[in-house]
Amino acid sequence: MDTKEMIKINQLNKSFGDLHVLKGIDMTVYESDVVCLIGASGSGKSTLLRCLNFLEKKDNGNIIIKGKEVDPNTDNLNKIREKVGMVFQHFNLFPHKTVLENIIEAPIMVKGVDKEEAISKAKQLLSKVGLEDKLDVYPNKLSGGQKQRVAIARALAMEPEIMLFDEPTSALDPELVGEVLATMKELAEEGMTMVVVTHEMDFAKEVADWIVYMHDGKIVERGNPEQFFSNPKEERTQEFLKTTI
Ligand code: ADP
Ligand code: MG
């Protein structure tokens, strides 16, 4: 079987003013891969994800999505964001919209999906994340774990081919983390291509195909979970793993 390159990044650089945050990142993500991106706070993980979704503009380097280099100056970024869904630490649900309205908004407004069709798809997605009974509820009536599952359903409603997760469980009470990770694991098992920034090392060990460790704007080490966690090659990685396990 051909393995399709879903994301390819060459020599990506990004600065905020004088702060050089991404320092020549190279990365390839193949179809159905789950990549867990780990590293200390401030190492550039969120900036990298945001560049991949064009929420931040790279300074230089190439970002190639499904074989096509994206030029943020000329390409329709909304079209690209349809392919690349993103889930954030803080859910970012619309507070004044119900769960259903949150999910159907973008398919209708951005993709021009028919309302009935959007509703029917939203219901399917809500039952997939175990929240079919929360259709008409407002976000403030949901637990953090439920909000995050709605946020995942909302991203999936655009039928993305790649999903980016930026610390999706970091804002949750410990007892709510499992339900969100279970939803993500299911998605991974269905073959979704995923890049997940996480501190959940057990999830990374179990679900990831590849672990990528970032430090100070650079990729220090990558490997499959077995090799990475049991036999990290770089001293930096060894130090980092000591602090997290
Ligand atoms: P991580 O997600 O690994 O914690 P970030 O990508 O959020 O790291 O941040 C990397 C560095 O870039 C940090 O020093 C952070 O303060 C800085 N940074 C991130 N976003 C901005 C921004 N919009 N403006 C200025 N500095 C930023
Ligand atoms: Mg971050």
Side-chain angles (χ1 to χ4, degrees), residues 40-47 89 166-167 197 199:
S41 172
S43 55
K45 306 179 299 295
S46 295
T47 304
Q89 183 175 351
D166 194 357
E167 300 200 25
V197 175
H199 297 291

Side-chain angles (χ1 to χ4, degrees), residues 39-53:
S41 172
S43 55
K45 306 179 299 295
S46 295
T47 304
L48 176 57
L49 280 201
R50 291 168 64 80
C51 283
L52 284 179
N53 203 24

Side-chain angles (χ1 to χ4, degrees), residues 65 98 118 147:
I65 306 284
T98 65
K147 281 184 204 165

Side-chain angles (χ1 to χ4, degrees), residues 134-146:
K134 301 293 182 190
L135 222 61
D136 297 318
V137 166
Y138 285 87
N140 66 1
K141 293 280 184 286
L142 299 175
S143 73
Q146 291 171 332

